[in-house]
């Protein structure tokens, strides 16, 4: 039976980020990842950077196919209505890099009282109650219908990841709703320059976040990023990814 290793991260890079001083864990992850690569008839990856790191760790002769993460295409949103919103959304599971990002947002909210920062997903449970300000909404795990509403009505999507690898499904989802995205450099990892230029404002500091917000408060710029975000989502539609995958005939 052929084995396909569907890689979503360079796991060794992730282990080194999360457990930098734990040699035993890093060695275990290295052995497991190498075993998966050695036994695989074919390897797929969702980020060119991650695959290059895998080649650095396990050999330049490793072959793979790029299969991106994706999203479900959504109806085109009412961007003029969204422009009036003051809600900035983050969605994340309890995965450690998401928890770090959620805590960062809790601190960031203190500097921007004119906006509401909404954190959905189990990452929000890790925020200390002492750090919850009036403009920080801890939503926890929400139903699909509520999440749909949050993406439709939020002014922007914020993804301040400082750790992680691969690409982020939540970013694909934000694109499918045509939400302007403010992201750290790591949060935008795996996206092309064209996608970043069209849909994502990079912010790795409070000052850069403030500059991004000011840019989005200009109506013309805001609508341009909305259109760019929605247009870029077509590249990550699951149906397109499926057809492209089949046509590769791995």
């Amino acid at each position: 039976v052929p084995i396909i290793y569907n890689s979503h991260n360079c796991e060794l890079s992730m282990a080194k980020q999360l457990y930098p001083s734990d040699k035993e864990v890093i060695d275990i992850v290295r052995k497991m990842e190498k075993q998966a690569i050695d036994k695989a008839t074919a390897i797929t990856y969702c980020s060119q950077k991650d695959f290059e790191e895998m080649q650095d760790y396990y050999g330049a002769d490793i072959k793979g196919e790029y299969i991106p993460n994706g999203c479900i295409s959504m109806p085109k949103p009412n961007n003029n209505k969204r422009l009036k919103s003051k809600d900035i959304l983050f969605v994340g599971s309890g995965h450690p890099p998401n928890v770090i990002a959620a805590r960062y947002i809790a601190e960031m909210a203190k500097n921007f009282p004119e906006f509401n920062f909404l954190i959905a997903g189990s990452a929000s449970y890790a925020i200390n109650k002492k750090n919850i300000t009036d403009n920080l909404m801890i939503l926890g795990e929400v139903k699909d219908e509520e999440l749909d509403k949050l993406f439709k009505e939020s002014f922007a999507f914020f993804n301040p990841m400082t750790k992680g690898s691969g690409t982020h499904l939540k970013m694909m989802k934000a694109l499918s709703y045509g939400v302007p995205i403010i992201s750290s450099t790591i949060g935008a990892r795996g996206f092309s320059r064209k996608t970043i230029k069209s849909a994502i404002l990079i912010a790795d500091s409070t000052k850069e976040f403030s500059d991004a917000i000011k840019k989005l408060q200009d109506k013309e710029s805001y609508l341009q990023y909305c259109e760019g975000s929605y247009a870029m989502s077509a590249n990550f539609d699951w149906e397109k990814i499926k057809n492209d995958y089949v046509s590769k005939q791995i």
Side-chain angles (χ1 to χ4, degrees):
V1 176
I3 296 173
I4 295 178
Y5 176 36
N6 183 24
S7 166
H8 281 251
N9 306 290
C10 177
E11 301 298 344
L12 184 52
S13 292
M14 181 73 84
K16 288 183 175 182
Q17 288 181 45
L18 297 178
Y19 308 100
S21 59
D22 196 327
K23 186 177 182 300
E24 183 179 3
V25 168
I26 291 172
D27 285 344
I28 289 171
V29 172
R30 180 186 286 107
K31 290 175 183 177
M32 291 176 68
E33 188 167 43
K34 187 176 188 307
Q35 185 180 59
I37 290 169
D38 289 345
K39 289 189 174 184
T41 304
I43 299 170
T44 65
Y45 59 91
C46 64
S47 161
Q48 181 63 38
K49 183 174 177 60
D50 284 81
F51 190 64
E52 289 171 356
E53 289 178 356
M54 288 169 64
Q55 289 178 316
D56 287 341
Y57 290 134
Y58 305 110
D61 59 334
I62 298 171
K63 305 298 181 184
E65 292 288 342
Y66 171 65
I67 310 291
N69 275 320
C71 58
I72 298 173
S73 294
M74 304 300 296
K76 197 167 185 179
N78 184 336
N79 294 323
N80 284 299
K81 181 179 179 181
R82 176 184 281 158
L83 179 59
K84 301 173 184 177
S85 173
K86 293 296 182 182
D87 295 341
I88 296 175
L89 176 65
F90 172 76
V91 179
S93 67
H95 182 46
N98 287 330
V99 169
I100 294 170
R103 288 171 174 165
Y104 177 85
I105 292 171
E107 290 299 318
M108 182 72 78
K110 298 174 183 178
N111 299 313
F112 298 91
E114 68 274 26
F115 284 94
N116 300 315
F117 290 79
L118 283 57
I119 303 179
S122 53
S124 64
Y125 299 139
I127 295 175
N128 191 316
K129 291 183 179 180
K130 294 180 180 178
N131 289 330
I132 298 177
T133 52
D134 291 341
N135 65 328
L136 180 65
M137 315 298 172
I138 304 301
L139 304 177
E141 297 178 62
V142 299
K143 294 182 178 179
D144 289 342
E145 296 80 7
E146 177 64 18
L147 191 60
D148 177 73
K149 184 179 179 182
L150 291 170
F151 273 103
K152 284 180 178 177
E153 297 181 358
S154 292
F155 175 77
F157 184 82
F158 189 25
N159 192 38
M161 307 291 286
T162 57
K163 297 182 183 297
S165 62
T167 55
H168 304 284
L169 282 167
K170 54 181 170 285
M171 292 280 278
M172 309 297 182
K173 195 174 187 70
L175 290 174
S176 72
Y177 281 87
V179 187
I181 299 170
I182 304 173
S183 174
S184 63
T185 300
I186 290 178
R189 175 187 174 115
F191 287 99
S192 68
R193 291 181 181 178
K194 183 179 180 181
T195 299
I196 292 173
K197 183 178 179 181
S198 300
I200 304 171
L201 294 92
I202 300 298
D204 290 310
S205 67
T206 302
K207 172 66 167 57
E208 290 176 351
F209 178 81
S210 179
D211 291 342
I213 287 293
K214 288 177 182 176
K215 189 167 187 176
L216 290 178
Q217 286 178 313
D218 173 74
K219 182 176 181 179
E220 184 177 346
S221 293
Y222 184 81
L223 295 178
Q224 183 179 346
Y225 273 96
C226 287
E227 292 291 336
S229 180
Y230 191 74
M232 288 299 105
S233 71
N235 298 319
F236 303 104
D237 176 73
W238 280 125
E239 192 67 23
K240 179 182 186 304
I241 291 171
K242 181 191 74 173
N243 293 333
D244 289 347
Y245 182 74
V246 171
S247 69
K248 290 178 184 291
Q249 296 182 343
I250 297 175

